[in-house]
Amino acid sequence: MGTHVRHPMWLPAVRPAGARTFASLYATESFARATVSSVIPIQAYEILQNEQTVSILYTVVSLLGLTVTLFMPVLIRRFARRWVYTAGACLLAFGSLFFVTHTLAGQMLGMLCRVMGASALSITLNLYIMDHIRKTDFMRSESLRMAWSMIAWTGGPTMGILFYTHFGIYAAHGAVAVFALILLALFWFYRLSDNPLIAAGKSRAVNPLANIGRFISQPRLRLAWLIAFGRSCFWTTFFVYGPLFMVIAGEGEIAGGLLISAGNALLFMAIFWGKAGKRFGARPTMTLAFFAMAIALFAAGAVGTSAPLLTGGLLLCGAFFTIALDALGSTVFMRSVHSYERPQMAAVYRTYLDFSELTPPLIYSVVLMFFGLGSVFVTLGCLMVACGAITWRYLPKSM
């Protein structure tokens, strides 16, 4: 009996991690981020009173966040994934403390905490998914994860705007802290284990520059990055410039929140796009999505502020096709990355989000010097055409 260990009765009740495990974690994280997704750009606009300066603020924060993302493998190697994930959830909560100051410094620090927290959560969650989900199930798992997050991204932005306009800044950002704590409790309840095989070997460099070089040398990883970058640029533009467009066009803050919620409500279509990808193949489905997004964006730019509601409808049409890339895009990376270098490559891959938050505002700040707000959507449409052409040309039919 000396070797017998008595475990707490509740331990066996936790099921092995599966698609629903990661869907529930992502959905809870989505609530923590979605609640103020439409509040942050409006709050930044209230502080700076200029949409071009708002673009510059987003550029600076994204540049700082990019540095943190590239060093994430070092943190994972030093502290283990579960502690990096925990830190990510805590950063979302800490960001709320800075946002409620309603100052430029607080706005920047809050946005930086938000970017760093999202980076830590995204990279570590992807590593857990690749540990526990078979490659043949990636498409189903990712579409389920997107569909479950639909509730958060549908109700969150409008809820955050209502809290902000009716109950004040503390209510809006306080909700974020609550969801972040719930996420933390749920994560530790699942007790996800670190797979020792995922740690990089001693011969593999952890230097961020070396990791970038290794990533760039693999064509499929480059393609996976571009696909993710393209669809993330759409969401960055949609989340930041969608609410701003509604406010500037005279439709009001509530209209901006409703636009974001309506776009996110389309996430339930991720399951449909997942089935379409299996039926017709990832290449034609994702290529169609990119070109359809481009058409919707060109039309939105042409209509502009002359018919704000029609422009909003065209942006929603673009969001519908972007869901296809949400459901299928990450499978290109997950099926292409080698198991022994997942942490390093996942960190470099994650930079698509940092660059999508860095590059568009930087380009838009220049474009807005010469043209109206509708030019933002036309500029984005040009990128979608390029992404669609490259996807059709280089994505293997067997993917």
Side-chain angles (χ1 to χ4, degrees):
M1 294 298 290
T3 59
H4 178 71
V5 179
R6 183 179 179 87
H7 296 286
M9 293 296 292
W10 60 271
L11 285 178
V14 180
R15 297 179 179 180
R20 293 187 177 184
T21 303
F22 302 113
S24 63
L25 284 172
Y26 187 70
T28 308
E29 175 197 338
S30 296
F31 267 112
R33 294 192 292 116
T35 304
V36 291
S37 62
S38 54
V39 172
I40 291 174
I42 292 175
Q43 188 174 333
Y45 184 73
E46 289 177 352
I47 295 172
L48 298 171
Q49 294 296 313
N50 184 279
E51 60 266 29
Q52 184 180 1
T53 313
V54 171
S55 294
I56 295 173
L57 174 62
Y58 271 86
T59 300
V60 172
V61 171
S62 298
L63 188 60
L64 294 173
L66 175 61
T67 305
V68 176
T69 298
L70 291 175
F71 279 92
M72 199 61 66
V74 178
L75 298 178
I76 293 173
R77 189 182 182 93
R78 175 66 179 84
F79 298 106
R81 270 181 279 158
R82 60 183 177 273
W83 296 116
V84 176
Y85 190 96
T86 299
C90 292
L91 280 169
L92 292 183
F94 290 150
S96 300
L97 299 177
F98 293 113
F99 279 123
V100 296
T101 63
H102 207 267
T103 62
L104 178 57
Q107 185 77 10
M108 178 175 289
L109 290 172
M111 292 171 67
L112 185 58
C113 283
R114 180 179 167 87
V115 168
M116 293 190 299
S119 175
L121 292 171
S122 174
I123 292 173
T124 50
L125 186 64
N126 279 333
L127 292 177
Y128 282 124
I129 289 173
M130 287 186 283
D131 263 0
H132 294 88
I133 303 296
R134 295 179 300 178
K135 286 189 175 183
T136 54
D137 294 332
F138 280 156
M139 199 172 292
R140 172 183 171 274
S141 174
E142 288 302 285
S143 60
L144 182 67
R145 186 158 67 105
M146 293 300 110
W148 277 39
S149 68
M150 178 266 294
I151 300 175
W153 288 108
T154 299
T158 301
M159 180 177 67
I161 285 291
L162 290 175
F163 281 171
Y164 186 66
T165 56
H166 289 82
F167 303 103
I169 193 172
Y170 288 96
H173 292 288
V176 174
V178 171
F179 284 121
L181 294 176
I182 294 174
L183 172 64
L184 199 57
L186 188 62
F187 171 74
W188 281 98
F189 171 76
Y190 285 142
R191 301 190 312 281
L192 296 175
S193 60
D194 287 12
N195 185 347
L197 296 178
I198 203 172
K202 297 294 184 181
S203 61
R204 293 288 171 184
V206 296
N207 183 287
L209 295 180
N211 294 337
I212 294 172
R214 173 63 182 161
F215 188 98
I216 294 175
S217 68
Q218 302 180 62
R220 288 194 179 182
L221 294 187
R222 295 200 306 265
L223 179 59
W225 189 94
L226 179 66
I227 292 171
F229 173 73
R231 54 106 167 170
S232 188
C233 281
F234 178 90
W235 287 125
T236 297
T237 305
F238 186 76
F239 286 137
V240 175
Y241 295 91
L244 279 181
F245 176 83
M246 287 299 173
V247 171
I248 293 172
E251 297 297 325
E253 297 174 345
I254 298 297
L258 290 174
L259 174 66
I260 300 301
S261 292
N264 291 324
L266 296 172
L267 282 170
F268 79 93
M269 294 300 297
I271 294 178
F272 162 79
W273 284 117
K275 293 180 179 179
K278 281 190 173 182
R279 173 66 179 84
F280 301 105
R283 186 177 75 156
T285 304
M286 288 193 285
T287 302
L288 168 67
F290 273 124
F291 284 124
M293 290 162 62
I295 293 172
L297 287 165
F298 287 146
V303 175
T305 56
S306 61
L309 296 182
L310 177 57
T311 301
L314 290 168
L315 292 177
L316 291 177
C317 182
F320 170 76
F321 288 99
T322 310
I323 303 300
L325 302 173
D326 286 332
L328 306 175
S330 59
T331 61
V332 179
F333 170 76
M334 292 181 176
R335 289 181 176 180
S336 302
V337 66
H338 298 296
S339 60
Y340 59 80
E341 57 183 3
R342 284 177 181 172
Q344 293 88 341
M345 297 304 100
V348 180
Y349 173 71
R350 172 56 175 67
T351 61
Y352 78 81
L353 189 55
D354 299 291
F355 273 99
S356 70
E357 294 177 347
L358 170 67
T359 310
L362 180 61
I363 295 175
Y364 298 157
S365 63
V366 176
V367 173
L368 288 170
M369 293 175 64
F370 305 97
F371 305 101
L373 192 56
S375 63
V376 165
F377 307 131
V378 175
T379 304
L380 181 61
C382 294
L383 174 63
M384 297 304 105
V385 171
C387 290
I390 294 173
T391 299
W392 178 257
R393 174 65 179 83
Y394 293 106
L395 186 65
K397 295 182 179 179
S398 59
M399 183 63 67

